[in-house]
Amino acid sequence: MTDDARTTPDLHSDSRPDADADADDYFGERVAATYDESAANMFAPEVLDPAVDFLAERAGGGPVLEFAIGTGRVAMPLLGRGLEVHGIDLSRAMVEQLRAKPGGADVPVTLGDFATATAGRTDFALAYLVFNTINNLTTQDAQVDCFRNAAAHLAPGGRFVVEVGVPALRLLPPGQDAVPFEVSDTRWAFDRYDTATQAMSSNYVDVDPATGTATYKTFPFRYVWPSELDLMARIAGLRLSERWEGWTKEPFTGESQGHVSVWEKPA
């Protein structure tokens, strides 16, 4: 999980690991209790409102399903728009934080891996997976399963939206496998890439200024290219209908650091 303030999507995530990892190691009670505070920049109106506007427009008033719903950062504003919101999440502690919020207890949530767990319905107008969470699935098979799961939940004409970064491999000179993304007096943070397997990790060294002691954390991901996502969608019976650089619909180009993509289930 990262709390960096960049509004362009990078490869870090505010979501849950896949079922091969222990959810309590990443988003257990200790993390969940302070999650909204630690990710406060992602709740800022200039970050969140465009995402909610984009998703609400594509839902068209129909029911929506969020994969990795967490504490409801996106789900609760959509609920406030009058939409029927459902969720799937692996972390019981994160969902408990959602249910403690006003109206959060009214959001049906299935506890499980969003790549395979089902919400018990197949009539959703929209399914979505935001803030790089597709990368939390650390195998290609699991990412393909995620697309298949989304397609199975959608009604004909329904849409699947994914927000994810473009791998920053252009920043890697020969012989280097790490890209720093935050350097300060109290934090050193960097991504490591394995270009042979598309495995990556986000790594953090945090220094307590009072004591000088440091803690280290690492989180595994699998980076994925836009074209690879399009093929996963085709395998699942979906077709690309939109791709933008961000929620405010800037054109996606070869210089884009991330993208918001929409795939549609044929009617």
Side-chain angles (χ1 to χ4, degrees):
M1 177 182 67
T2 68
D3 304 325
D4 70 77
R6 290 171 291 181
T7 56
T8 300
D10 50 48
L11 283 172
H12 317 105
S13 170
D14 68 347
S15 189
R16 273 49 59 199
D18 62 82
D20 292 333
D22 182 351
D24 290 337
D25 289 343
Y26 297 94
F27 296 95
E29 291 183 3
R30 181 181 59 83
V31 172
T34 59
Y35 177 75
D36 287 4
E37 179 182 349
S38 67
N41 62 291
M42 295 307 299
F43 289 79
E46 64 271 20
V47 176
L48 184 55
D49 289 353
V52 174
D53 291 341
F54 186 101
L55 294 169
E57 181 180 351
R58 278 142 192 82
V64 304
L65 173 65
E66 179 170 1
F67 286 175
I69 193 170
T71 67
R73 180 180 70 93
V74 177
M76 294 307 294
L78 287 173
L79 191 69
R81 300 282 185 95
L83 294 176
E84 180 185 351
V85 181
H86 294 242
I88 297 175
D89 201 289
L90 191 64
S91 171
R92 185 181 301 273
M94 295 288 278
V95 174
E96 288 175 352
Q97 293 296 317
L98 163 65
R99 288 174 172 158
K101 296 178 179 180
D106 298 328
V107 178
V109 178
T110 301
L111 288 171
D113 178 3
F114 61 80
T116 54
T118 63
R121 293 176 55 172
T122 60
D123 63 343
F124 288 100
L126 178 75
Y128 63 94
L129 182 60
V130 300
F131 199 21
N132 307 301
T133 312
I134 187 71
N135 294 330
N136 283 93
L137 301 171
T138 56
T139 68
Q140 187 180 66
D141 285 345
Q143 292 172 342
V144 170
D145 287 343
C146 176
F147 272 81
R148 285 174 166 155
N149 199 27
H153 281 93
L154 293 174
R159 297 177 173 93
F160 183 38
V161 178
V162 172
E163 177 197 21
V164 67
V166 175
L169 301 191
R170 292 171 63 184
L171 300 179
L172 286 175
Q176 181 174 316
D177 67 354
V179 175
F181 60 87
E182 184 177 348
V183 178
S184 70
D185 292 339
T186 58
R187 168 172 275 196
W188 311 323
F190 58 94
D191 288 331
R192 295 190 67 184
Y193 293 86
D194 182 341
T195 57
T197 64
Q198 292 183 217
M200 65 170 291
S201 62
S202 291
N203 304 270
Y204 304 84
V205 178
D206 290 293
V207 179
D208 185 335
T211 65
T213 58
T215 59
Y216 170 71
K217 293 181 181 179
T218 184
F219 300 91
F221 300 104
R222 180 185 187 272
Y223 67 81
V224 63
W225 299 98
S227 58
E228 188 180 5
L229 291 170
D230 290 341
L231 183 56
M232 293 178 183
R234 287 180 59 188
I235 291 171
L238 306 175
R239 60 189 179 198
L240 181 69
S241 60
E242 300 177 67
R243 173 162 290 138
W244 307 99
E245 183 175 277
W247 296 112
T248 51
K249 296 190 289 188
E250 306 89 346
F252 178 77
T253 72
E255 299 301 317
S256 297
Q257 298 179 38
H259 61 100
V260 173
S261 296
V262 183
W263 296 272
E264 187 173 338
K265 186 173 183 176

